[in-house]
Amino acid sequence: MDDQARIMQSIGGVSLAGHSVQGGMALPPPHGHDGTDGDGRKQDIGDILHQIMTITDQSLDEAQAKKHGLNCHRMKPALFSVLCEIKEKTGLSIRGAQEEDPPDPQLMRLDNMLLAEGVAGPEKGGGSAAAAAAAAASGGAADNSIEHSDYRAKLTQIRQIYHTELEKYEQACNEFTTHVMNLLREQSRTRPISPKEIERMVGIIHRKFSSIQMQLKQSTCEAVMILRSRFLDARRKRRNFSKQATEILNEYFYSHLSNPYPSEEAKEELAKKCSITVSQVGPERGSGGGGRCSMVSNWFGNKRIRYKKNIGKFQEEANLYAAKTAVNAAHAAAAAVQNSQANSPTTPNSGSSGSFSLPNSGDMFLSMQSLNGDSYQGAQVGANVQSQVDTLRHVISQTAGYNDALGGNPMYSQHNLNANGGWQDATTPSSVISPTEGPGSVHSDTSN
DNA sequence: GCGCATGATTTCGG
DNA sequence: CCGAAATCATGCGC
């Protein structure tokens, strides 16, 4: 209070010298009627300023009238510009003007993320495109389509909220800005406000508002992240493979016990057969499309390690699958023999391709593949089949007694594993081990 | 609820 | 980058 009064006084002391002479710099008193042109102008200014200073003492009506008078005064523009200039020079209003807003990195990050998540940016065909993309990414797996649609629904919800809020925000920002601009323009008639200052003020308002915008974007991002993590978590959830799938995998595993490293093609085949083509692979590893079979790879990885760790525990399973494979093979072999005999005794139906064609399902084909390796020379078919059948008979007869041998005399001995704990090389199928390594067959499922 | 089975992830070495 | 090994986390039968 006191300060203000003093300031007012000092201002008065400087500019209204004519009336309250306080300093040595006093202007000549108003009564200097003999004054020059300059004197007259000074007096004029003094008058105006005096009026300005005393305007608060007057009644409202009176003040309004005075104000109007002042507004129309011929000196007004000059005074106005001078005051503006002074203001500029004092730098009071320039403070912070230098902060030519460099695009806030955080805001940019948020923008990018929202764009990437499909929250900002163009609507993706009502979300169906996103769904299609998601479906494609998952290899068209049906089991998590529910999760996908759920995710999509939530995302569009977030998107909608975000957009309405953003709209609201923009509207509010614009309204407020125009309001302030109008106010300033209005005031600029009585107060020294340059257009530049208005511009700056608009800038300040926008900066303030952008923090609100940032909050909006941030919370939207958070919402998306939460949704995403939940979705991913859901996708990560372990789901046991179907019985059929494990059976297929086990079949392959035990029939390739000597070298249970399926090649890429084999993995793909297995994945297809097990309908576990879901690309669950976490960090998109490279570009070699290695993701699709990762579940198979996981399975084999786990299986190898667990089998090796406790071979005894897997004996039963091993024998079971050996028997299964053997039976399959026997059937296949029998069919093959029949087939070859029926067709032509000398050159079986292997034809020019050299591959063993089976009139059977993929299942059987797979087991035959595992039986004989990948290639099956036509010329050897007859002999192979014969010896194959022999081997199988042997295996089956042994398999029949596996119950007795459970503890002490494991059929599937750890001979498969070499001293280092690694898997033996595919060359030596020991006597009984697998019905898979028929005489004359070429082990070609080398994965490395 | 507990314990085992099992799919996934992480860590480490080559 | 792949596989082994360790570990985590969940599913599932009891």
Side-chain angles (χ1 to χ4, degrees):
Chain A
M1 276 308 185
D2 217 22
D3 277 351
Q4 208 172 346
R6 220 175 298 135
I7 289 166
M8 293 294 269
Q9 264 212 333
S10 73
I11 292 170
V14 172
S15 36
L16 301 177
H19 288 262
S20 58
V21 184
Q22 287 186 354
M25 287 289 290
L27 293 167
H31 54 76
H33 50 275
D34 59 341
T36 57
D37 210 13
D39 277 352
R41 210 173 296 155
K42 275 179 195 163
Q43 190 202 340
D44 244 357
I45 294 168
D47 275 345
I48 294 164
L49 290 175
H50 174 67
Q51 285 174 49
I52 293 170
M53 291 314 293
T54 53
I55 210 163
T56 47
D57 300 332
Q58 296 154 0
S59 74
L60 211 59
D61 286 344
E62 218 178 332
Q64 282 293 349
K66 277 268 162 56
K67 194 174 116 186
H68 184 69
L70 283 168
N71 270 337
C72 300
H73 198 280
R74 67 191 168 88
M75 293 297 286
K76 191 224 168 191
L79 268 172
F80 186 83
S81 67
V82 167
L83 281 169
C84 277
E85 211 174 297
I86 291 169
K87 217 173 154 189
E88 291 275 330
K89 274 181 188 158
T90 54
L92 280 173
S93 56
I94 306 182
R95 220 179 9 212
Q98 251 74 358
E99 301 164 11
E100 275 310 324
D101 43 343
D104 190 340
Q106 200 183 347
L107 194 63
M108 273 172 71
R109 238 184 37 228
L110 291 173
D111 275 339
N112 285 341
M113 196 198 137
L114 289 173
L115 212 61
E117 292 297 331
V119 176
E123 185 99 26
K124 288 180 185 169
S128 61
S138 74
D143 60 356
N144 50 11
S145 61
I146 296 165
E147 286 158 28
H148 276 142
S149 62
D150 204 31
Y151 176 72
R152 224 178 342 122
K154 292 260 164 59
L155 194 66
T156 40
Q157 210 176 326
I158 290 174
R159 192 191 157 94
Q160 271 168 4
I161 292 169
Y162 171 74
H163 280 291
T164 49
E165 287 299 314
L166 198 66
E167 214 167 288
K168 263 194 244 167
Y169 152 81
E170 259 159 19
Q171 201 182 335
C173 184
N174 284 339
E175 266 172 28
F176 189 73
T177 308
T178 49
H179 175 72
V180 168
M181 272 167 73
N182 286 339
L183 220 63
L184 286 174
R185 275 201 206 102
E186 177 77 23
Q187 287 192 358
S188 74
R189 297 215 304 232
T190 50
R191 189 157 89 77
I193 299 173
S194 63
K196 226 168 152 188
E197 212 182 325
I198 295 178
E199 224 171 272
R200 271 204 297 276
M201 188 57 80
V202 169
I204 289 167
I205 292 168
H206 279 173
R207 267 199 291 281
K208 292 281 177 207
F209 264 88
S210 85
S211 73
I212 300 172
Q213 191 186 28
M214 177 109 82
Q215 268 180 17
L216 170 65
K217 286 181 176 174
Q218 203 154 13
S219 49
T220 307
C221 275
E222 270 167 30
V224 171
M225 291 310 283
I226 289 167
L227 176 67
R228 213 179 152 75
S229 72
R230 255 187 223 155
F231 174 69
L232 284 177
D233 278 354
R235 222 169 38 161
R236 269 162 82 126
K237 260 187 187 170
R238 193 171 70 74
R239 193 99 55 82
N240 285 351
F241 293 161
S242 70
K243 216 178 161 196
Q244 200 195 357
T246 22
E247 222 156 280
I248 290 165
L249 291 167
N250 271 317
E251 224 166 87
Y252 188 96
F253 180 80
Y254 287 112
S255 62
H256 291 73
L257 204 52
S258 57
N259 189 36
Y261 300 87
S263 63
E264 280 306 310
E265 297 90 63
K267 279 187 206 168
E268 231 164 282
E269 175 87 15
L270 285 166
K272 221 183 281 171
K273 286 167 66 65
C274 299
S275 15
I276 50 171
T277 52
V278 193
S279 80
Q280 59 70 231
V281 66
E284 267 82 60
R285 288 192 169 177
S287 53
R292 259 220 316 239
C293 308
S294 73
M295 285 172 103
V296 176
S297 300
N298 279 344
W299 191 90
F300 273 89
N302 283 323
K303 191 74 184 177
R304 278 190 301 262
I305 204 83
R306 281 163 187 161
Y307 177 83
K308 206 165 84 172
K309 249 187 182 168
N310 193 353
I311 292 173
K313 203 175 72 185
F314 289 93
Q315 278 314 304
E316 197 171 340
E317 194 179 71
N319 293 335
L320 197 78
Y321 280 102
K324 207 174 262 184
T325 313
V327 170
N328 281 348
H331 284 163
V337 169
Q338 271 197 343
N339 210 13
S340 67
Q341 279 174 351
N343 278 344
S344 97
T346 44
T347 49
N349 65 344
S350 54
S352 53
S353 73
S355 70
F356 198 79
S357 75
L358 286 165
N360 249 319
S361 68
D363 242 39
M364 194 55 86
F365 181 60
L366 189 75
S367 51
M368 279 311 283
Q369 270 192 325
S370 57
L371 271 169
N372 302 304
D374 287 344
S375 67
Y376 202 83
Q377 295 304 318
Q380 298 177 327
V381 166
N384 268 342
V385 166
Q386 193 51 55
S387 55
Q388 194 78 52
V389 172
D390 286 343
T391 315
L392 293 173
R393 282 212 193 99
H394 181 54
V395 168
I396 290 166
S397 66
Q398 283 223 350
T399 309
Y402 79 85
N403 274 329
D404 299 330
L406 251 184
N409 186 18
M411 274 169 49
Y412 283 71
S413 69
Q414 44 276 65
H415 291 152
N416 276 329
L417 306 175
N418 65 22
N420 300 332
W423 296 91
Q424 201 176 38
D425 261 315
T427 49
T428 42
S430 66
S431 55
V432 186
I433 286 207
S434 71
T436 72
E437 314 289 339
S441 74
V442 182
H443 204 295
S444 58
D445 64 324
T446 48
S447 52
N448 331 4

